[in-house]
mmCIF file of all heavy atoms in Angstrom:
data_model
loop_
_atom_site.group_PDB
_atom_site.id
_atom_site.type_symbol
_atom_site.label_atom_id
_atom_site.label_comp_id
_atom_site.label_asym_id
_atom_site.label_seq_id
_atom_site.Cartn_x
_atom_site.Cartn_y
_atom_site.Cartn_z
ATOM 1 N N PHE A 1 72.885 32.341 22.204
ATOM 2 C CA PHE A 1 74.275 31.910 22.070
ATOM 3 C C PHE A 1 74.859 32.223 20.689
ATOM 4 O O PHE A 1 76.056 32.034 20.478
ATOM 5 C CB PHE A 1 74.385 30.401 22.342
ATOM 6 C CG PHE A 1 74.429 30.028 23.794
ATOM 7 C CD1 PHE A 1 73.264 29.970 24.544
ATOM 8 C CD2 PHE A 1 75.629 29.748 24.426
ATOM 9 C CE1 PHE A 1 73.291 29.629 25.884
ATOM 10 C CE2 PHE A 1 75.665 29.400 25.767
ATOM 11 C CZ PHE A 1 74.501 29.347 26.506
ATOM 12 N N GLY A 2 74.018 32.655 19.746
ATOM 13 C CA GLY A 2 74.519 32.920 18.407
ATOM 14 C C GLY A 2 74.953 31.658 17.701
ATOM 15 O O GLY A 2 76.011 31.617 17.052
ATOM 16 N N VAL A 3 74.153 30.575 17.832
ATOM 17 C CA VAL A 3 74.472 29.300 17.203
ATOM 18 C C VAL A 3 73.263 28.839 16.392
ATOM 19 O O VAL A 3 72.167 29.390 16.498
ATOM 20 C CB VAL A 3 74.860 28.233 18.252
ATOM 21 C CG1 VAL A 3 76.155 28.603 18.951
ATOM 22 C CG2 VAL A 3 73.737 28.037 19.267
ATOM 23 N N ARG A 4 73.459 27.816 15.583
ATOM 24 C CA ARG A 4 72.400 27.231 14.776
ATOM 25 C C ARG A 4 72.238 25.742 15.107
ATOM 26 O O ARG A 4 73.203 25.089 15.513
ATOM 27 C CB ARG A 4 72.716 27.376 13.285
ATOM 28 C CG ARG A 4 72.737 28.815 12.783
ATOM 29 C CD ARG A 4 71.339 29.403 12.716
ATOM 30 N NE ARG A 4 71.349 30.742 12.146
ATOM 31 C CZ ARG A 4 71.195 30.978 10.837
ATOM 32 N NH1 ARG A 4 71.039 29.971 9.993
ATOM 33 N NH2 ARG A 4 71.210 32.221 10.397
ATOM 34 N N SER A 5 71.037 25.241 14.896
ATOM 35 C CA SER A 5 70.732 23.823 15.079
ATOM 36 C C SER A 5 70.395 23.213 13.729
ATOM 37 O O SER A 5 69.502 23.697 13.030
ATOM 38 C CB SER A 5 69.538 23.664 16.036
ATOM 39 O OG SER A 5 69.167 22.298 16.162
ATOM 40 N N VAL A 6 71.121 22.173 13.353
ATOM 41 C CA VAL A 6 70.890 21.477 12.085
ATOM 42 C C VAL A 6 70.579 20.016 12.411
ATOM 43 O O VAL A 6 71.427 19.304 12.942
ATOM 44 C CB VAL A 6 72.122 21.558 11.155
ATOM 45 C CG1 VAL A 6 71.825 20.881 9.823
ATOM 46 C CG2 VAL A 6 72.560 23.002 10.968
ATOM 47 N N ARG A 7 69.368 19.590 12.115
ATOM 48 C CA ARG A 7 68.932 18.241 12.513
ATOM 49 C C ARG A 7 69.713 17.163 11.771
ATOM 50 O O ARG A 7 70.013 17.298 10.584
ATOM 51 C CB ARG A 7 67.438 18.069 12.253
ATOM 52 C CG ARG A 7 66.877 16.755 12.757
ATOM 53 C CD ARG A 7 65.376 16.653 12.587
ATOM 54 N NE ARG A 7 64.675 17.567 13.479
ATOM 55 C CZ ARG A 7 63.346 17.567 13.611
ATOM 56 N NH1 ARG A 7 62.595 16.733 12.901
ATOM 57 N NH2 ARG A 7 62.766 18.407 14.445
ATOM 58 N N LEU A 8 70.055 16.080 12.474
ATOM 59 C CA LEU A 8 70.705 14.946 11.835
ATOM 60 C C LEU A 8 69.713 14.224 10.930
ATOM 61 O O LEU A 8 68.574 13.953 11.329
ATOM 62 C CB LEU A 8 71.240 13.972 12.885
ATOM 63 C CG LEU A 8 72.593 14.298 13.520
ATOM 64 C CD1 LEU A 8 72.946 13.247 14.568
ATOM 65 C CD2 LEU A 8 73.702 14.359 12.469
ATOM 66 N N ALA A 9 70.144 13.892 9.715
ATOM 67 C CA ALA A 9 69.280 13.226 8.752
ATOM 68 C C ALA A 9 69.282 11.710 8.921
ATOM 69 O O ALA A 9 68.394 11.029 8.393
ATOM 70 C CB ALA A 9 69.708 13.586 7.332
ATOM 71 N N ASP A 10 70.232 11.164 9.654
ATOM 72 C CA ASP A 10 70.299 9.720 9.857
ATOM 73 C C ASP A 10 69.065 9.232 10.607
ATOM 74 O O ASP A 10 68.546 9.918 11.503
ATOM 75 C CB ASP A 10 71.546 9.355 10.657
ATOM 76 C CG ASP A 10 72.806 9.883 10.019
ATOM 77 O OD1 ASP A 10 73.082 11.098 10.180
ATOM 78 O OD2 ASP A 10 73.515 9.116 9.359
ATOM 79 N N ALA A 11 68.593 8.018 10.265
ATOM 80 C CA ALA A 11 67.402 7.466 10.918
ATOM 81 C C ALA A 11 67.586 7.369 12.421
ATOM 82 O O ALA A 11 66.645 7.603 13.196
ATOM 83 C CB ALA A 11 67.077 6.097 10.321
ATOM 84 N N TRP A 12 68.804 7.043 12.852
ATOM 85 C CA TRP A 12 69.045 6.901 14.294
ATOM 86 C C TRP A 12 69.103 8.249 15.014
ATOM 87 O O TRP A 12 69.184 8.306 16.238
ATOM 88 C CB TRP A 12 70.329 6.109 14.571
ATOM 89 C CG TRP A 12 71.562 6.586 13.866
ATOM 90 C CD1 TRP A 12 72.113 6.082 12.729
ATOM 91 C CD2 TRP A 12 72.422 7.679 14.249
ATOM 92 N NE1 TRP A 12 73.253 6.774 12.370
ATOM 93 C CE2 TRP A 12 73.461 7.762 13.295
ATOM 94 C CE3 TRP A 12 72.411 8.593 15.302
ATOM 95 C CZ2 TRP A 12 74.475 8.707 13.366
ATOM 96 C CZ3 TRP A 12 73.411 9.544 15.378
ATOM 97 C CH2 TRP A 12 74.425 9.593 14.424
ATOM 98 N N GLY A 13 69.027 9.348 14.240
ATOM 99 C CA GLY A 13 69.029 10.675 14.855
ATOM 100 C C GLY A 13 67.766 10.972 15.632
ATOM 101 O O GLY A 13 67.737 11.902 16.444
ATOM 102 N N THR A 14 66.707 10.196 15.377
ATOM 103 C CA THR A 14 65.495 10.299 16.191
ATOM 104 C C THR A 14 65.579 9.248 17.284
ATOM 105 O O THR A 14 65.622 8.049 17.001
ATOM 106 C CB THR A 14 64.228 10.073 15.343
ATOM 107 O OG1 THR A 14 64.145 11.094 14.360
ATOM 108 C CG2 THR A 14 62.982 10.121 16.218
ATOM 109 N N ARG A 15 65.644 9.679 18.530
ATOM 110 C CA ARG A 15 65.791 8.778 19.676
ATOM 111 C C ARG A 15 64.450 8.593 20.365
ATOM 112 O O ARG A 15 63.647 9.517 20.469
ATOM 113 C CB ARG A 15 66.781 9.337 20.700
ATOM 114 C CG ARG A 15 68.112 9.753 20.148
ATOM 115 C CD ARG A 15 69.056 10.144 21.265
ATOM 116 N NE ARG A 15 68.509 11.183 22.128
ATOM 117 C CZ ARG A 15 69.025 11.544 23.299
ATOM 118 N NH1 ARG A 15 70.092 10.920 23.755
ATOM 119 N NH2 ARG A 15 68.486 12.503 24.014
ATOM 120 N N GLU A 16 64.224 7.389 20.830
ATOM 121 C CA GLU A 16 63.004 7.124 21.586
ATOM 122 C C GLU A 16 63.277 7.275 23.079
ATOM 123 O O GLU A 16 64.288 6.790 23.597
ATOM 124 C CB GLU A 16 62.492 5.707 21.302
ATOM 125 C CG GLU A 16 62.162 5.450 19.838
ATOM 126 C CD GLU A 16 61.132 6.425 19.297
ATOM 127 O OE1 GLU A 16 60.246 6.858 20.062
ATOM 128 O OE2 GLU A 16 61.213 6.757 18.100
ATOM 129 N N LEU A 17 62.390 7.971 23.757
ATOM 130 C CA LEU A 17 62.432 8.067 25.209
ATOM 131 C C LEU A 17 61.419 7.083 25.780
ATOM 132 O O LEU A 17 60.322 6.934 25.244
ATOM 133 C CB LEU A 17 62.109 9.485 25.673
ATOM 134 C CG LEU A 17 63.072 10.589 25.234
ATOM 135 C CD1 LEU A 17 62.592 11.941 25.756
ATOM 136 C CD2 LEU A 17 64.493 10.314 25.699
ATOM 137 N N GLN A 18 61.807 6.420 26.849
ATOM 138 C CA GLN A 18 60.954 5.409 27.460
ATOM 139 C C GLN A 18 60.693 5.744 28.924
ATOM 140 O O GLN A 18 61.564 6.278 29.621
ATOM 141 C CB GLN A 18 61.629 4.034 27.382
ATOM 142 C CG GLN A 18 61.871 3.524 25.976
ATOM 143 C CD GLN A 18 60.724 2.668 25.470
ATOM 144 O OE1 GLN A 18 60.204 1.816 26.184
ATOM 145 N NE2 GLN A 18 60.338 2.878 24.217
ATOM 146 N N LEU A 19 59.494 5.422 29.360
ATOM 147 C CA LEU A 19 59.187 5.413 30.790
ATOM 148 C C LEU A 19 59.610 4.068 31.340
ATOM 149 O O LEU A 19 59.468 3.040 30.658
ATOM 150 C CB LEU A 19 57.681 5.556 31.027
ATOM 151 C CG LEU A 19 57.033 6.915 30.863
ATOM 152 C CD1 LEU A 19 55.518 6.747 30.870
ATOM 153 C CD2 LEU A 19 57.473 7.836 31.976
ATOM 154 N N CYS A 20 60.101 4.040 32.551
ATOM 155 C CA CYS A 20 60.403 2.750 33.156
ATOM 156 C C CYS A 20 60.047 2.756 34.638
ATOM 157 O O CYS A 20 60.043 3.803 35.293
ATOM 158 C CB CYS A 20 61.866 2.360 32.954
ATOM 159 S SG CYS A 20 63.071 3.390 33.830
ATOM 160 N N THR A 21 59.724 1.599 35.133
ATOM 161 C CA THR A 21 59.450 1.405 36.544
ATOM 162 C C THR A 21 59.699 -0.062 36.851
ATOM 163 O O THR A 21 60.010 -0.850 35.940
ATOM 164 C CB THR A 21 57.997 1.801 36.893
ATOM 165 O OG1 THR A 21 57.817 1.739 38.306
ATOM 166 C CG2 THR A 21 56.989 0.873 36.227
ATOM 167 N N LYS A 22 59.591 -0.447 38.092
ATOM 168 C CA LYS A 22 59.630 -1.855 38.419
ATOM 169 C C LYS A 22 58.340 -2.493 37.924
ATOM 170 O O LYS A 22 57.352 -1.796 37.654
ATOM 171 C CB LYS A 22 59.811 -2.050 39.924
ATOM 172 C CG LYS A 22 61.223 -1.738 40.395
ATOM 173 C CD LYS A 22 61.446 -2.233 41.808
ATOM 174 C CE LYS A 22 62.923 -2.123 42.187
ATOM 175 N NZ LYS A 22 63.190 -2.635 43.540
ATOM 176 N N PRO A 23 58.295 -3.829 37.784
ATOM 177 C CA PRO A 23 57.068 -4.468 37.282
ATOM 178 C C PRO A 23 55.807 -4.004 37.998
ATOM 179 O O PRO A 23 54.755 -3.878 37.383
ATOM 180 C CB PRO A 23 57.343 -5.955 37.509
ATOM 181 C CG PRO A 23 58.833 -6.060 37.369
ATOM 182 C CD PRO A 23 59.377 -4.794 37.976
ATOM 183 N N VAL A 24 55.915 -3.727 39.290
ATOM 184 C CA VAL A 24 54.801 -3.138 40.036
ATOM 185 C C VAL A 24 55.316 -1.866 40.681
ATOM 186 O O VAL A 24 56.173 -1.918 41.563
ATOM 187 C CB VAL A 24 54.270 -4.089 41.126
ATOM 188 C CG1 VAL A 24 53.147 -3.411 41.908
ATOM 189 C CG2 VAL A 24 53.774 -5.391 40.512
ATOM 190 N N PRO A 25 54.828 -0.681 40.238
ATOM 191 C CA PRO A 25 55.276 0.560 40.873
ATOM 192 C C PRO A 25 55.053 0.497 42.379
ATOM 193 O O PRO A 25 54.083 -0.099 42.845
ATOM 194 C CB PRO A 25 54.395 1.626 40.217
ATOM 195 C CG PRO A 25 54.043 1.041 38.884
ATOM 196 C CD PRO A 25 53.888 -0.429 39.141
ATOM 197 N N PRO A 26 55.945 1.095 43.178
ATOM 198 C CA PRO A 26 55.987 0.835 44.611
ATOM 199 C C PRO A 26 54.873 1.448 45.442
ATOM 200 O O PRO A 26 54.755 1.129 46.613
ATOM 201 C CB PRO A 26 57.340 1.421 45.025
ATOM 202 C CG PRO A 26 57.633 2.451 43.987
ATOM 203 C CD PRO A 26 57.046 1.938 42.727
ATOM 204 N N SER A 27 54.051 2.320 44.923
ATOM 205 C CA SER A 27 53.008 2.944 45.728
ATOM 206 C C SER A 27 51.845 3.322 44.828
ATOM 207 O O SER A 27 52.015 3.477 43.610
ATOM 208 C CB SER A 27 53.540 4.192 46.434
ATOM 209 O OG SER A 27 53.789 5.219 45.481
ATOM 210 N N PRO A 28 50.646 3.486 45.401
ATOM 211 C CA PRO A 28 49.509 3.941 44.593
ATOM 212 C C PRO A 28 49.788 5.268 43.887
ATOM 213 O O PRO A 28 49.404 5.449 42.737
ATOM 214 C CB PRO A 28 48.385 4.075 45.622
ATOM 215 C CG PRO A 28 48.725 3.074 46.670
ATOM 216 C CD PRO A 28 50.228 3.120 46.766
ATOM 217 N N ALA A 29 50.467 6.197 44.574
ATOM 218 C CA ALA A 29 50.788 7.479 43.944
ATOM 219 C C ALA A 29 51.690 7.272 42.734
ATOM 220 O O ALA A 29 51.499 7.896 41.686
ATOM 221 C CB ALA A 29 51.451 8.400 44.962
ATOM 222 N N ALA A 30 52.708 6.395 42.873
ATOM 223 C CA ALA A 30 53.607 6.124 41.748
ATOM 224 C C ALA A 30 52.865 5.426 40.613
ATOM 225 O O ALA A 30 53.103 5.707 39.440
ATOM 226 C CB ALA A 30 54.786 5.277 42.222
ATOM 227 N N ARG A 31 51.953 4.510 40.954
ATOM 228 C CA ARG A 31 51.187 3.825 39.914
ATOM 229 C C ARG A 31 50.321 4.814 39.145
ATOM 230 O O ARG A 31 50.252 4.778 37.910
ATOM 231 C CB ARG A 31 50.322 2.722 40.533
ATOM 232 C CG ARG A 31 51.120 1.541 41.060
ATOM 233 C CD ARG A 31 50.241 0.317 41.258
ATOM 234 N NE ARG A 31 49.243 0.492 42.302
ATOM 235 C CZ ARG A 31 49.434 0.211 43.588
ATOM 236 N NH1 ARG A 31 50.619 -0.232 43.986
ATOM 237 N NH2 ARG A 31 48.471 0.376 44.472
ATOM 238 N N LEU A 32 49.662 5.720 39.865
ATOM 239 C CA LEU A 32 48.826 6.717 39.205
ATOM 240 C C LEU A 32 49.657 7.644 38.322
ATOM 241 O O LEU A 32 49.246 8.007 37.216
ATOM 242 C CB LEU A 32 48.061 7.541 40.248
ATOM 243 C CG LEU A 32 46.879 6.858 40.922
ATOM 244 C CD1 LEU A 32 46.364 7.710 42.077
ATOM 245 C CD2 LEU A 32 45.758 6.586 39.927
ATOM 246 N N PHE A 33 50.838 8.028 38.817
ATOM 247 C CA PHE A 33 51.688 8.930 38.053
ATOM 248 C C PHE A 33 52.228 8.240 36.802
ATOM 249 O O PHE A 33 52.296 8.831 35.719
ATOM 250 C CB PHE A 33 52.821 9.452 38.923
ATOM 251 C CG PHE A 33 53.638 10.539 38.286
ATOM 252 C CD1 PHE A 33 53.022 11.603 37.634
ATOM 253 C CD2 PHE A 33 55.015 10.511 38.334
ATOM 254 C CE1 PHE A 33 53.766 12.612 37.039
ATOM 255 C CE2 PHE A 33 55.770 11.513 37.749
ATOM 256 C CZ PHE A 33 55.138 12.563 37.098
ATOM 257 N N PHE A 34 52.608 6.980 36.936
ATOM 258 C CA PHE A 34 53.092 6.223 35.783
ATOM 259 C C PHE A 34 51.992 6.112 34.728
ATOM 260 O O PHE A 34 52.234 6.295 33.529
ATOM 261 C CB PHE A 34 53.558 4.833 36.216
ATOM 262 C CG PHE A 34 54.173 4.029 35.107
ATOM 263 C CD1 PHE A 34 55.498 4.210 34.749
ATOM 264 C CD2 PHE A 34 53.431 3.090 34.395
ATOM 265 C CE1 PHE A 34 56.073 3.483 33.714
ATOM 266 C CE2 PHE A 34 53.993 2.360 33.364
ATOM 267 C CZ PHE A 34 55.321 2.552 33.024
ATOM 268 N N GLU A 35 50.764 5.809 35.168
ATOM 269 C CA GLU A 35 49.638 5.720 34.239
ATOM 270 C C GLU A 35 49.373 7.070 33.568
ATOM 271 O O GLU A 35 49.054 7.136 32.378
ATOM 272 C CB GLU A 35 48.392 5.234 34.972
ATOM 273 C CG GLU A 35 48.487 3.781 35.424
ATOM 274 C CD GLU A 35 47.384 3.397 36.391
ATOM 275 O OE1 GLU A 35 46.519 4.265 36.675
ATOM 276 O OE2 GLU A 35 47.394 2.256 36.870
ATOM 277 N N HIS A 36 49.523 8.139 34.334
ATOM 278 C CA HIS A 36 49.312 9.491 33.797
ATOM 279 C C HIS A 36 50.327 9.781 32.682
ATOM 280 O O HIS A 36 49.959 10.267 31.604
ATOM 281 C CB HIS A 36 49.457 10.507 34.923
ATOM 282 C CG HIS A 36 49.467 11.933 34.468
ATOM 283 N ND1 HIS A 36 48.326 12.615 34.076
ATOM 284 C CD2 HIS A 36 50.493 12.822 34.339
ATOM 285 C CE1 HIS A 36 48.639 13.844 33.727
ATOM 286 N NE2 HIS A 36 49.946 14.005 33.878
ATOM 287 N N LEU A 37 51.597 9.472 32.931
ATOM 288 C CA LEU A 37 52.630 9.742 31.934
ATOM 289 C C LEU A 37 52.494 8.826 30.721
ATOM 290 O O LEU A 37 52.655 9.259 29.577
ATOM 291 C CB LEU A 37 54.021 9.584 32.553
ATOM 292 C CG LEU A 37 54.425 10.609 33.614
ATOM 293 C CD1 LEU A 37 55.794 10.265 34.197
ATOM 294 C CD2 LEU A 37 54.435 12.022 33.051
ATOM 295 N N SER A 38 52.207 7.548 30.978
ATOM 296 C CA SER A 38 52.139 6.596 29.867
ATOM 297 C C SER A 38 50.934 6.832 28.974
ATOM 298 O O SER A 38 50.903 6.393 27.825
ATOM 299 C CB SER A 38 52.128 5.154 30.398
ATOM 300 O OG SER A 38 50.995 4.921 31.213
ATOM 301 N N SER A 39 49.931 7.539 29.489
ATOM 302 C CA SER A 39 48.754 7.829 28.688
ATOM 303 C C SER A 39 48.998 8.942 27.675
ATOM 304 O O SER A 39 48.218 9.143 26.757
ATOM 305 C CB SER A 39 47.574 8.216 29.587
ATOM 306 O OG SER A 39 47.811 9.468 30.209
ATOM 307 N N GLN A 40 50.102 9.661 27.864
ATOM 308 C CA GLN A 40 50.432 10.741 26.922
ATOM 309 C C GLN A 40 50.941 10.121 25.617
ATOM 310 O O GLN A 40 51.742 9.207 25.625
ATOM 311 C CB GLN A 40 51.496 11.671 27.512
ATOM 312 C CG GLN A 40 51.177 12.177 28.908
ATOM 313 C CD GLN A 40 49.874 12.952 28.950
ATOM 314 O OE1 GLN A 40 49.647 13.843 28.144
ATOM 315 N NE2 GLN A 40 49.022 12.610 29.891
ATOM 316 N N SER A 41 50.469 10.617 24.505
ATOM 317 C CA SER A 41 50.853 10.056 23.208
ATOM 318 C C SER A 41 52.308 10.382 22.903
ATOM 319 O O SER A 41 52.818 11.431 23.279
ATOM 320 C CB SER A 41 49.959 10.618 22.097
ATOM 321 O OG SER A 41 50.075 12.022 22.039
ATOM 322 N N MET A 42 52.983 9.445 22.229
ATOM 323 C CA MET A 42 54.350 9.693 21.781
ATOM 324 C C MET A 42 54.336 10.786 20.730
ATOM 325 O O MET A 42 53.470 10.853 19.879
ATOM 326 C CB MET A 42 54.960 8.425 21.186
ATOM 327 C CG MET A 42 55.308 7.359 22.216
ATOM 328 S SD MET A 42 56.208 6.014 21.456
ATOM 329 C CE MET A 42 57.699 6.857 20.975
ATOM 330 N N ALA A 43 55.314 11.671 20.802
ATOM 331 C CA ALA A 43 55.394 12.749 19.818
ATOM 332 C C ALA A 43 56.820 13.239 19.715
ATOM 333 O O ALA A 43 57.562 13.226 20.688
ATOM 334 C CB ALA A 43 54.471 13.903 20.217
#
């Protein structure tokens, strides 16, 4: 695109992404998938 990216220096410029589900995921497959994703380290 012929553009540049300049990172925001403000502390709030780093956003946290969260996984969410109901208190009990609705199926064994969903529970396994949620555990799989949540086991990945934040980065």
Side-chain angles (χ1 to χ4, degrees):
F1 279 80
V3 294
R4 294 288 184 91
S5 176
V6 183
R7 186 175 291 187
L8 278 178
D10 305 79
W12 52 261
T14 297
R15 309 186 305 168
E16 300 303 327
L17 297 179
Q18 297 268 316
L19 284 169
C20 67
T21 187
K22 286 193 171 182
V24 178
S27 70
R31 290 198 294 271
L32 285 171
F33 188 46
F34 185 82
E35 291 168 2
H36 171 76
L37 292 176
S38 61
S39 68
Q40 309 301 311
S41 60
M42 287 188 65

